[in-house]
Amino acid sequence: MNTSGSSRTVSMGLGPLNAIYQARYNRYCTTRLKDTSQPRLGVPRRREMDEVESLGAIGVAAREELDNLTFVINCNLQRLDGPVRATARSFRRWRRFFRGAGWNVIKVVWGREWDPLLAADSDGALVNLMNVTPDGDYQTYKGESGAYVRENFFGRDPRTRKLVEGMTEHQIWNLKRGGHDYPEAVRGVQAATEHTGQRR
C-alpha cells in the first residue's frame, strides 16, 4: 500500500498484509514523528482473503489497535485456481474471522431496492432463497429479463413470488447486489472510516 491511497496487488495475500503493516508504520510515525493518521483504504479481493498471510495478519491490526485501516473486500466472483466459494458462505466466514480479531464489520451485499422486500420477508423465505442461490445463477439473472428473474428466482417459493407481485419486470431486473449499488458502497465505506476505536 502506498502512502497516498489504496493498494492494488495480485491475489497472493500480499495486499492485506501490506495494508496492515503500512497502517502500523503510519501509527508509529504519528506517535513519534508526524501526523499520518488519515485512514488508509485496502481493497483485498475474495481470492486474496483465502491466503494465509491475509487472515494471519489481521491479528496484528487487532493487537496494535490500528483503527487507521479500512478493508473493503471485493467479492468479484472470480478465481483462477479453484472453485469460487459461495458468497453467503464467504461473508459468514470472514465476518467470524474479523469480528473474532476485534474488527468492526460492515456488510454491504444487497442494493437499497431490496430493503422493502427484506422488511416484508417476515418468515425468512427471501433470505433463505438468497443464501441457497449459487453465485453463477445471480450472474445469469442479470443477463436475463425481469420476467425470467420473477419466475426462476422469486418463483421457486410461493412466499417470495408473492413478495414481488406488485413489482414491474423492470423493477425486478433492477434489483442490485450491494457491490453494484455505488451509493450503498460509499455509505458503507464512510461509516467505516468514521468509526474509531477499532479496525474497520
Side-chain angles (χ1 to χ4, degrees):
M1 169 172 273
N2 60 44
T3 56
S4 62
S6 62
S7 65
R8 295 178 181 274
T9 61
V10 293
S11 299
M12 297 172 61
L14 300 180
L17 190 66
N18 216 9
I20 288 169
Y21 280 101
Q22 180 68 55
R24 186 174 186 231
Y25 174 74
N26 287 354
R27 176 59 56 80
Y28 175 90
C29 288
T30 297
T31 57
R32 292 167 176 82
L33 303 171
K34 68 170 193 168
D35 184 9
T36 57
S37 59
Q38 180 178 349
R40 299 290 185 246
L41 183 66
V43 189
R45 288 168 292 188
R46 171 205 296 257
R47 173 64 184 92
E48 201 162 20
M49 292 312 303
D50 285 339
E51 300 292 347
V52 66
E53 295 85 357
S54 300
L55 293 177
I58 65 174
V60 173
R63 288 191 305 274
E64 300 288 334
E65 299 182 356
L66 302 179
D67 63 358
N68 61 334
L69 176 64
T70 302
F71 273 13
V72 177
I73 300 177
N74 174 22
C75 293
N76 59 8
L77 310 182
Q78 297 176 11
R79 183 169 179 171
L80 297 176
D81 59 350
V84 175
R85 188 180 288 111
T87 296
R89 194 175 306 131
S90 294
F91 287 145
R92 286 193 295 270
R93 175 175 176 259
W94 292 329
R95 185 167 47 192
R96 286 195 303 267
F97 271 118
F98 279 90
R99 283 188 175 163
W103 288 58
N104 174 47
V105 178
I106 298 171
K107 187 170 75 167
V108 179
V109 185
W110 305 99
R112 291 160 294 158
E113 300 87 357
W114 290 89
D115 290 347
L117 295 175
L118 290 167
D121 182 33
S122 57
D123 54 6
L126 179 57
V127 170
N128 180 63
L129 196 58
M130 290 170 158
N131 287 337
V132 299
T133 299
D135 288 336
D137 286 358
Y138 284 119
Q139 300 294 76
T140 299
Y141 298 145
K142 212 56 188 168
E144 297 287 347
S145 66
Y148 181 92
V149 177
R150 183 191 300 275
E151 185 59 35
N152 293 279
F153 178 70
F154 293 103
R156 289 187 287 162
D157 186 311
R159 297 167 295 177
T160 54
R161 182 189 292 272
K162 187 172 179 58
L163 284 175
V164 296
E165 278 181 349
M167 294 180 68
T168 67
E169 310 304 333
H170 177 72
Q171 287 173 321
I172 291 175
W173 184 87
N174 197 44
L175 292 166
K176 293 185 285 292
R177 286 166 286 169
H180 295 97
D181 186 347
Y182 300 116
E184 191 73 357
V186 169
R187 180 201 61 76
V189 171
Q190 182 176 355
T193 56
E194 290 173 353
H195 183 88
T196 58
Q198 285 179 289
R199 284 61 51 207
R200 300 183 283 276

